[in-house]
Amino acid sequence: DAKADALWVDHDKHGERLYLLDTESGKLTAVAVPPDVATIAWAKNSDRLIALSEGINHAADLGPAMSAWLVDPANPAHPSRLNELPATIGGGVWSEDGSRFFFLAQAKQEAPPGYHDLFVFNLDNRSVRNLSADPSGSLGGEIPVSDGPYVLQAVQDGFHRGYVRIGAGNVEKLHFDQPVVRGLQCSAKQACAWLAESGTQAPALYFSSQLGQ
């Protein structure tokens, strides 16, 4: 009786699971991705998603434990595990056409934990390629942003925080008037908004249809 209200730490059998909601009928359908589901990323046309699960009961405390699963909303009972994606994956975004998935994961160049590289996963041939060719700064802090044929990634360079644009084999550092830029989001029409600040200026919201110009 003395232990009736005790909690057995790290022995939860349920965890955080993924469900799909039919907005017309209100029906919830369980997706057979193992817990704990950390985040999901829908493809632009909503015909597929990638779910990331970090393992139940703090499995990551023993080492990287994230797994990636490809889910077809029409067949949620049979997700496909993407073994090509590393256990250090930390979130990502689909390309506009849904053929590629851009994601951050632990850097491979003898970097300490927490330093990331940007990778792209090609769904057609299941290949993974590192896109972080000399980005002039440390990547991370935010998931990538899809921008038409390009991908945008946050980068920290000393006291400056901004973004680089990667595409067609090139890495371009985008120009912003303020030294600290964050929260970049772009619409399907490639118009973008972001928060920016400086040492003497409070954070303000900016908008542009020609990013970096």
Side-chain angles (χ1 to χ4, degrees), residues 18-156:
L18 179 61
Y19 295 83
L20 297 178
L21 171 64
D22 187 321
T23 56
E24 293 185 357
S25 66
K27 179 183 178 182
L28 278 176
T29 302
V31 180
V33 171
D36 280 333
V37 175
T39 187
I40 66 170
W42 280 98
K44 300 295 183 180
N45 60 4
S46 300
D47 66 337
R48 66 190 70 171
L49 66 88
I50 284 180
L52 301 182
S53 175
E54 56 187 349
I56 200 168
N57 295 319
H58 301 97
D61 289 351
L62 302 177
M66 196 75 78
S67 59
W69 300 79
L70 182 64
V71 179
D72 178 354
N75 188 18
H78 298 93
S80 173
R81 181 164 182 172
L82 300 174
N83 293 312
E84 298 84 358
L85 303 190
T88 58
I89 186 172
V93 64
W94 289 89
S95 62
E96 295 292 336
D97 62 1
S99 66
R100 293 166 296 159
F101 185 71
F102 301 97
F103 64 93
L104 291 174
Q106 174 65 32
K108 292 187 175 182
Q109 297 299 321
E110 300 181 357
Y115 282 78
H116 298 93
D117 277 347
L118 178 65
F119 300 85
V120 59
F121 171 62
N122 189 312
L123 197 62
D124 291 334
N125 59 21
R126 298 297 180 105
S127 65
V128 175
R129 184 164 57 95
N130 192 331
L131 299 177
S132 305
D134 188 23
S136 300
S138 300
L139 302 183
E142 300 177 26
I143 65 171
V145 177
S146 181
D147 182 31
Y150 303 99
V151 60
L152 311 176
Q153 180 58 54
V155 59
Q156 184 83 32

